[in-house]
Structure formats: structure tokens, C-alpha cells
Amino acid sequence: MKIYLDCIPCFIRQALEAVTMVTSDTKQQETVIRKVLALAADMDMAQTPPVMAQQIHRMVRELAQDNDPYRDVKRQFTQLALQLLPGMEKAVREADDPLGAAVRLAIAGNIIDFGVTANIAEDQVEKELNNALACDIDEHQLDLFRKEINKADTILYLTDNAGEIVFDRLLIEQIDPKKVTVAVKGFPIINDATREDAHLAGLDTMVRLIDNGTDIPGTDLKNGSEALKELFDRADLVISKGQGNYETLSDMNKNIFFILKAKCTVIAKDIGCCVGSMILTGSHSYKGVTARTI
Amino acid sequence: MKIYLDCIPCFIRQALEAVTMVTSDTKQQETVIRKVLALAADMDMAQTPPVMAQQIHRMVRELAQDNDPYRDVKRQFTQLALQLLPGMEKAVREADDPLGAAVRLAIAGNIIDFGVTANIAEDQVEKELNNALACDIDEHQLDLFRKEINKADTILYLTDNAGEIVFDRLLIEQIDPKKVTVAVKGFPIINDATREDAHLAGLDTMVRLIDNGTDIPGTDLKNGSEALKELFDRADLVISKGQGNYETLSDMNKNIFFILKAKCTVIAKDIGCCVGSMILTGSHSYKGVTARTI
């Protein structure tokens, strides 16, 4: 997905929230914001939004002189998610359709996204999870997804945020951990999950774990790790979590299912849904033969 | 009031809404947005926010090849306000405190502000007016204001938006039209009222009318008309409507009462109130002796 004009105010807001988080020095904040504005004035609109976010957050980390300014919030929401996990495991176990419940909870976990807003209340996460269990998702897509995960031998699961990945465990358990390789980010970027966060979330003992080799809040196959490239090519199915992965992969001819909460108007318009929708959808750009077409 | 960093995403959003209104050609929209970003990257943060808005909307008018792209919405909301006026006149007449009711309605009218959002529903205006009549405003400030308008011989009333000025008539009637000179904008800027809009609103037959000589969505005394400068100096009291006038005059040592709806976080923070508050307040920057200090 390319950059839309509507993404631009959001880039500036995101930059502002991030610099405000790392310093209270308004002169330093101003310097970064001016750089972001100049960058945006000349940006290539054909690139995907996460490429801009990557550049913005590199500046923020340089300003903070900290390679992971979201470390604390990542740990906070990982802890919260781990506390909530037993209840959610029970909900999945007792659901009429455990896979459907696990997909819903994996979508709900996607609200822990500090790229969209710097203000996420802890109690909002639990509410979102409980609401999600009763929410509609596209049942036709869920059926297609069920067929695809049964048919696939090799599944690449591209994660999004720290904390959220705790709830991804529920979905991976429903799929079959032996089939799944989980990819996290290669370096810290916003509150996206890295190897360290996956370790704290207990994912590393459950599935094979790789990192994607980059600090883009999405998936950059060109600059990604060899492990990512190899698995992306080889996987029968890719499960892509969150907006950033959608933005960077929506135009790929690959058997991908996108799982996310549509949190902004641009994404919602691109998908063709309302803001706030819980999305499970096969890729419209995939030309191959899958459950979707047979 | 200077430009805060939080104003910047809002400038970009405002520019985007305005270019989208005047053309559906995304290439042309992009060209203007890139210019606005470059302008913002180098802007003087010591200037007031309306100076940036002035420059943005000059670009938008040039793109539109139309010196008044908000003409239609200005007429639409003037017509709406004129339809609502008799009911509001009755409400003021029947109020226990007609001046208090007129101030409330003048504040409510301030929601017709296309700088803050390009989406204003007509029914929202009537709701706002009716709600306002029952809303609290600062009674202490209202008492001070009452004393000031009684004491003053010459009052300069700086207007904000088309449509809104219809409701300003109610307040001017309570004050005394003979004391009041109304200033509108010198040239079209967003949906701010000009002479033409004042004529359509019936203000020109009610009070002496001047224009401020500029296309800034606020008051620029340095570049303003001679009539504005002369009256601003001479007036015993200035009544300043809306955010733009507040932003450009809040630091002036002058006996000013600001009347507005606080519609953004920056203004709310500067005033020390919540977003959405109905504001009537004497200037904190005035050092003179007034009802406020005696």
C-alpha cells in the first residue's frame, strides 16, 4: 500500500508523540519535527507508510540516545497480557469454535499499537479482548483461513506488537506450533515485538523464532534477513498481523492472510471496511490457487 | 499566542481538508501539501498560528483559482443561522439574564468553524445553540463583562465566522448597537466573515461595519486597515470572537474580552480549560484598570 495524503498528518502526529515521550526539551522536539516535515515534503509517495515511520523513529531514537525508547511500555503491556492470558486461554478452550475465538483475540491484541496512539489504557486492553469474543468477523474468510492452515505445512507468522504477541500464542496453538515460524522485528521500532519481547512473552519456547532483520514497522523483504526471505518464499501460508505488515505486504502475490484491527481511515479505505473493524482477510493481490479460489 | 508543536499536525490536516475541498486532483493536492510541509519545516514558531493558516489558505486559493472557495458553505451557514435566529431571539428575550443567554449563543455560534473541521452538520448547530443556553459559563467573568460593556463608550467587536455572526447580532443588541463597531475580515479566508457575509447576515444595517484589511484568520494589527488600528487603539473595550482572534491578540495589553468555544487542545491548554469549554474571559495580558481589577 502506498502513502496516501491522509497519512501525512498522522506521520507528524506520530513523530510529535514519540519526541514528546523521549524528551521534555521543546527545542529538541522542535528540531526533530522540523526534520520530519522536511523529510515529508520530499518523500516518495510510492513507498509504503512504514518506510516513513522507520525514518521518523530513527530520528527519535537518535534524539533519545536510546535504541529502544518504547522498552518500558513494551514490558508493561507484555506483563499485562501475560496476566490476562490464562483467562483468554480458558475462553478459547470453552468456545464453540476455538479457532474463531483465537482469531478474535489475536485481532483484539492488535490495539496495543503505540504507532496509532501514545495513550493506551491498560483496562482498555481487557475490555477489547472481552468485546472481541462477541464480535462478528467475516465467517467466510474464517472458513477459508481454516482450510488454508489445515492444508499448509509451512506457515510464517509475522508479528506486530509487544504484548499483542502473547495473544498470538493462542492462535498459534490452534494452528499447530510445529508448522509455524514466528518472525519478530530485527531491531526495536515503536512498540513492535523483537526477540527480547518474544522471549518475555514465552514464544521462543513454543515455536521456531526468527527476526526479520530490519527496523521497519512492517515487513521489508528487500532488506530483510535471509531467514525471512527464505521462509517467506517457502511458506505455504503467511499470516500477517497488524497494520504495518498489511501496508508493506498488501500488494504481494503471495498466499497471505491479514489479521488486524483497522485503526485508521486510510487502512479502512484500502481494505474497504469501517474504522474499528476486526479484519481477517486473504490477500486480494494473491494470484495463486488456494482455498479462496477452489 | 505562539505556535505550539501540537499545532503542526493540525496545520497539515487543515491544508489537506482545504485542498480536498477545492480539487479532486490528487497530484495537485500533493503539490500543495508538499509546499505546506516545506513551509512548516522552516516556519517561525514565534509567530501566531493564524499566520501559518493565512499562508496555507493563500496556496489553497491559488490552487482553486478562486478567491473565496468557502463561499458556498458560508452562504449555507448564513442561511441556516438566519432561519434559527427568530427562535434564538425569543430565547434571549425570555431568559432570566438576556445578556448571559446572548453570550452563550454567541459562543455556540463559534462552532461554525471550517478551520477546525471540514465536516459540520447543520443539525449540530441547532443542537449546540440549544445546549449552550443550559450550559455553565464563568459567572464571575460574565459579571465583569457586564460592567465593562456598561462602562465603555466605544466597543470594537472582532468577528469570526460567517453564520456565527448572525448570532453575534443577539449579543450586540444586548450591549447596545450604537456603541459597537463590528470588524470583519478584509479578504476571504477559510469561512471567516467578510463584508459580503456581514451584509447577508444583516449586520451592516445594525452597526457600523469596518473590515480589518487582511486575509489572516485572526487580527493582524501591524498589517491591518487604518480603521482597524484606529478603533483598536481608541476602543474602551474589544470583544474578540473565536480562536483565531484569541491566538493573535491574547498577548496584547488591551482591555479585551475573548468569547469562544475552545475547540482544540492547544487553545484549551493556553486558556487553562477543557476542550469543548464555552469561554468568556477578560485578557490576562491587560495591565490597565478595569472592572476586573477594581
Side-chain angles (χ1 to χ4, degrees), chain A residues 40-60:
Chain A
D42 289 325
M43 77 190 141
D44 173 8
M45 299 275 290
Q47 66 192 356
T48 64
V51 176
M52 270 296 287
Q54 181 183 36
Q55 293 174 73
I56 289 169
H57 287 277
R58 282 180 181 174
M59 289 185 209
V60 171

Side-chain angles (χ1 to χ4, degrees), chain B:
Chain B
M1 189 186 102
K2 72 179 189 67
I3 294 173
Y4 290 83
L5 288 171
D6 284 325
C7 297
I8 302 173
C10 198
F11 290 146
I12 313 299
R13 175 205 52 77
Q14 193 177 135
L16 193 54
E17 286 187 349
V19 294
T20 306
M21 194 187 76
V22 302
T23 180
S24 56
D25 182 329
T26 51
K27 275 286 147 203
Q28 288 193 332
Q29 292 173 355
E30 185 185 324
T31 302
V32 172
I33 295 302
R34 285 186 191 278
K35 282 185 191 169
V36 171
L37 289 163
L39 186 73
D42 289 325
M43 77 190 142
D44 173 7
M45 299 275 291
Q47 65 190 357
T48 65
V51 176
M52 269 297 286
Q54 180 183 36
Q55 293 175 73
I56 289 169
H57 287 277
R58 282 180 182 174
M59 289 185 209
V60 171
R61 291 198 295 274
E62 193 184 322
L63 169 67
Q65 298 199 302
D66 181 348
N67 81 331
D68 194 3
Y70 291 80
R71 189 184 294 108
D72 289 349
V73 293
K74 290 199 295 180
R75 290 191 181 173
Q76 178 196 346
F77 282 88
T78 298
Q79 277 307 109
L80 173 69
L82 287 169
Q83 284 162 25
L84 295 171
L85 184 63
M88 298 304 141
E89 282 174 330
K90 187 166 178 283
V92 171
R93 215 164 38 234
E94 294 174 356
D96 290 340
D97 174 12
L99 178 69
V103 167
R104 285 172 170 83
L105 294 172
I107 296 172
N110 189 232
I111 68 152
I112 309 173
D113 183 346
F114 279 79
V116 172
T117 171
N119 298 303
I120 303 171
E122 287 199 355
D123 61 353
Q124 200 185 335
V125 177
E126 188 170 2
K127 273 186 205 154
E128 185 79 16
L129 291 162
N130 288 323
N131 289 342
L133 286 166
C135 273
D136 285 339
I137 59 172
D138 187 324
E139 290 293 333
H140 175 61
Q141 290 291 326
L142 182 59
D143 283 344
L144 297 176
F145 180 63
R146 201 185 307 271
K147 285 176 192 156
E148 285 297 324
I149 58 176
N150 288 335
K151 208 172 65 171
D153 293 319
T154 306
I155 298 174
L156 174 61
Y157 195 111
L158 304 169
T159 59
D160 194 357
N161 302 303
E164 173 181 347
I165 57 172
V166 171
F167 304 111
D168 291 329
R169 283 174 50 176
L170 300 167
L171 179 53
I172 293 164
E173 269 160 15
Q174 290 301 314
I175 294 170
D176 178 357
K178 292 190 296 297
K179 286 183 175 185
V180 177
T181 300
V182 163
V184 292
K185 303 302 188 291
F187 302 94
I189 173 72
I190 324 178
N191 69 320
D192 286 35
T194 59
R195 279 185 184 274
E196 186 186 349
D197 304 307
H199 175 72
L200 292 171
L203 262 168
D204 55 343
T205 57
M206 185 181 166
V207 284
R208 183 185 167 209
L209 190 71
I210 63 166
D211 75 63
N212 72 5
T214 65
D215 64 340
I216 194 170
T219 298
D220 176 355
L221 288 165
K222 196 172 153 206
N223 300 301
S225 63
E226 286 310 311
L228 175 78
K229 292 178 194 174
E230 188 270 329
L231 253 161
F232 192 91
D233 277 347
R234 187 161 58 84
D236 304 311
L237 173 66
V238 174
I239 297 173
S240 162
K241 279 296 303 285
Q243 293 197 162
N245 284 324
Y246 176 85
E247 289 167 24
T248 43
L249 297 173
S250 64
D251 299 329
M252 294 287 298
N253 177 12
K254 178 77 191 177
N255 188 17
I256 307 176
F257 268 80
F258 296 103
I259 296 181
L260 65 146
K261 178 111 179 159
K263 286 163 288 188
C264 79
T265 52
V266 174
I267 292 272
K269 196 173 159 191
D270 199 79
I271 293 176
C273 68
C274 298
V275 172
S277 296
M278 294 181 39
I279 300 297
L280 164 71
T281 181
S283 175
H284 294 294
S285 304
Y286 181 44
K287 314 290 181 212
V289 177
T290 67
R292 299 187 64 223
T293 49
I294 54 176

